[in-house]
Amino acid sequence: MVLILLFVCAYIVPSIVLNFLQISHITSALNQKAILLDSLDYKKAGNYALEKLRLNNIEKILELGLFAFWVMFGFSFFWQHLYDIGLSGVWHHIVFLLLLLLIPMFVNLPLSLYQTFSIDKRYGFCKQSVGLFFVDVLKSSVLSIILGGVMFYILLWVMDTFSLWWLGGFVLMFGVVVVANALYPTIIAPLFNTFTPLEDNELKSRIEGLLDKVGFRSSGVFVMDASKRDGRLNAYFGGIGKTKRVVLFDTLLEKISKEGLLAILGHELGHFKHKDIIKNLIIVGVFLFALFFIAAHLPTSFFTQASLPQESSTTLALMFLLSSVLSFWFLPLVGYFSRKAEYRADAFGAKLSSKQCLANALIHLVNENKSFPSSHWLYIYFYYSHPPLLERLRALDYDI
């Protein structure tokens, strides 16, 4: 029971406590005067946040149930059952790991359906059909099987070949992260969305002028058909090197002025100018290094408790199962550097447009996306990659 106790005390309980702190904070804030949003949208944003937090608590309980299932029954059952049906050698190990990857996806499917077609639908965000939802699930599953299978095969080879396998595994996985960032905009994202070149020549010219001003070389400015799934607004720069591209959600083009859009892009260019993508990759590298190091030094008792032999695939299985604990306590470090980067990007974006223009654009995004503008400080410390909007506006000298 040590594994389950560790999971509960180091991950599940702190996560749920943070959710309840946030629930209490928002409930109290809803009884106060509305800020940044009109009173109706303020209540709507607060209630939306509360529903998501309560659902997340259920997700945590389900996650605990899955963890206990794997440790007490699932690992030993599937390990033996795969042998019983004739799978042996490397295929036994790969299928075993793929089950660990895929089963949680399908167990969480009912909650994903409820989030999308009940909560998001009621608050005006969900635009997709049930059919499209399941097509996405199918595509994600196929990708997970193909890419996961290849990745597991190489990882197992590294683990069985090198004495310092954890170092080789770290290098391999970090390389996968870098390649995935490079290929995502041009290969992975188009599997789920359609990207078309921006047709508004005036806006395209202004965006390209903005890019030239800061030395950002992209493969083009594209519009993504985000509205077929969701009504929220966004824009991003994706890719590395020659795969870099500017992506605008079609919802953003429909609901925000050109000046506001350019201000938002100016903020994103601040991330490019300060090399935040590279810094984020370094932070991911630190996490992966720690994860593989810990995996290489797991106590033998962990394998005994899970009724597993201490082999390459079972080490990876326990590593993936316990990764949520490490990632949870890694969040404050990630959030700290991310929030610092957002302030720098805001300052850079404000220079390209103006503080007032960027502030107005941020407020517009909050209103359209129904983001509740107030959070508990400890919840922010763990989960916020962006500073609260009120703090960002104060840094932009906006009169609230």
Side-chain angles (χ1 to χ4, degrees):
M1 297 296 290
V2 174
L3 273 172
I4 297 174
L5 190 62
L6 170 67
F7 194 74
V8 170
C9 294
Y11 174 55
I12 297 297
V13 170
S15 298
I16 292 177
V17 167
L18 284 172
N19 282 348
F20 276 118
L21 287 174
Q22 181 72 342
I23 288 171
S24 175
H25 178 90
I26 292 175
T27 303
S28 175
L30 283 173
N31 294 320
Q32 300 172 15
K33 184 180 178 182
I35 50 174
L36 298 181
L37 295 84
D38 63 45
S39 58
L40 185 62
D41 283 341
Y42 184 76
K43 287 187 176 180
K44 189 174 182 180
N47 290 329
Y48 177 63
L50 289 174
E51 287 206 46
K52 288 199 300 179
L53 286 163
R54 290 171 184 136
L55 182 64
N56 187 253
N57 279 338
I58 297 173
E59 290 172 350
K60 295 303 177 189
I61 299 301
L62 183 59
E63 195 173 351
L64 172 58
L66 265 174
F67 186 91
F69 162 77
W70 284 115
V71 171
M72 299 177 67
F73 173 76
F75 276 152
S76 57
F77 172 80
F78 287 114
W79 183 262
Q80 184 58 48
H81 188 66
L82 291 174
Y83 275 128
D84 293 342
I85 63 174
L87 275 178
S88 60
V90 70
W91 285 109
H92 176 274
H93 298 282
I94 290 174
V95 173
F96 175 74
L97 289 168
L98 286 175
L99 287 172
L100 180 64
L101 190 67
L102 293 173
I103 287 176
M105 290 175 57
F106 290 102
V107 169
N108 285 306
L109 198 56
L111 293 182
S112 296
L113 281 164
Y114 181 78
Q115 165 78 50
T116 303
F117 294 103
S118 179
I119 298 179
D120 287 353
K121 193 83 169 180
R122 281 187 282 110
Y123 286 90
F125 295 124
C126 174
K127 307 296 181 184
Q128 67 179 315
S129 65
V130 175
L132 180 59
F133 178 90
F134 280 105
V135 168
D136 285 346
V137 170
L138 179 61
K139 288 179 180 179
S140 298
S141 301
V142 172
L143 271 177
S144 297
I145 292 170
I146 295 172
L147 298 179
V150 172
M151 190 171 60
F152 290 145
Y153 180 86
I154 299 173
L155 269 175
L156 290 170
W157 176 81
V158 169
M159 294 176 75
D160 293 334
T161 304
F162 301 100
S163 57
L164 287 176
W165 64 264
W166 62 272
L167 192 56
F170 153 69
V171 172
L172 172 65
M173 288 306 300
F174 186 67
V176 168
V177 170
V178 173
V179 171
N181 272 273
L183 298 183
Y184 178 81
T186 55
I187 295 180
I188 300 174
L191 294 174
F192 297 90
N193 288 94
T194 300
F195 295 81
T196 55
L198 179 64
E199 295 180 354
D200 187 328
N201 290 326
E202 179 199 349
L203 179 58
K204 183 179 179 180
S205 177
R206 294 183 68 181
I207 291 174
E208 289 174 344
L210 195 64
L211 302 182
D212 290 338
K213 193 173 182 179
V214 298
F216 184 92
R217 298 288 177 263
S218 77
S219 59
V221 182
F222 294 86
V223 178
M224 187 180 92
D225 60 338
S227 59
K228 73 178 184 180
R229 287 184 179 83
D230 200 283
R232 279 165 278 217
L233 318 185
N234 202 2
Y236 68 88
F237 294 104
I240 298 174
K242 293 182 179 180
T243 68
K244 291 200 300 289
R245 58 168 54 179
V246 181
V247 177
L248 311 174
F249 284 23
D250 55 357
T251 50
L252 187 71
L253 291 173
E254 293 168 4
K255 295 183 178 180
I256 199 166
S257 68
K258 291 180 180 179
E259 295 301 326
L261 189 149
L262 290 169
I264 292 167
L265 289 181
H267 165 92
E268 296 298 330
L269 283 171
H271 289 305
F272 160 73
K273 200 66 179 177
H274 293 111
K275 297 181 170 53
D276 289 331
I277 292 177
I278 295 174
K279 293 173 183 176
N280 288 340
L281 286 174
I282 292 172
I283 292 173
V284 170
V286 172
F287 171 77
L288 288 173
F289 183 88
L291 183 62
F292 274 91
F293 178 82
I294 291 171
H297 298 85
L298 288 173
T300 303
S301 60
F302 281 13
F303 295 88
T304 304
Q305 289 176 41
S307 301
L308 284 173
Q310 193 165 354
E311 298 189 18
S312 300
S313 58
T314 57
T315 299
L316 285 179
L318 284 178
M319 181 182 81
F320 293 145
L321 205 61
L322 293 170
S323 63
S324 54
V325 178
L326 179 62
S327 62
F328 175 77
W329 292 103
F330 204 72
L331 283 174
L333 178 66
V334 175
Y336 173 80
F337 287 109
S338 180
R339 291 190 295 273
K340 291 287 185 183
E342 292 301 324
Y343 281 124
R344 290 195 301 267
D346 279 349
F348 187 86
K351 289 180 181 177
L352 291 178
S353 54
S354 70
K355 289 183 178 181
Q356 184 70 30
C357 187
L358 179 58
N360 288 337
L362 292 174
I363 293 171
H364 192 82
L365 285 179
V366 164
N367 276 269
E368 289 292 337
N369 294 341
K370 301 295 180 290
S371 302
F372 196 70
S374 181
S375 291
H376 191 279
W377 69 269
L378 194 56
Y379 193 86
I380 293 169
Y381 179 74
F382 268 86
Y383 290 124
Y384 271 40
S385 60
H386 290 57
L389 182 59
L390 288 173
E391 294 181 15
R392 294 175 71 181
L393 293 176
R394 290 189 186 101
L396 291 169
D397 299 326
Y398 185 85
D399 186 20
I400 301 171

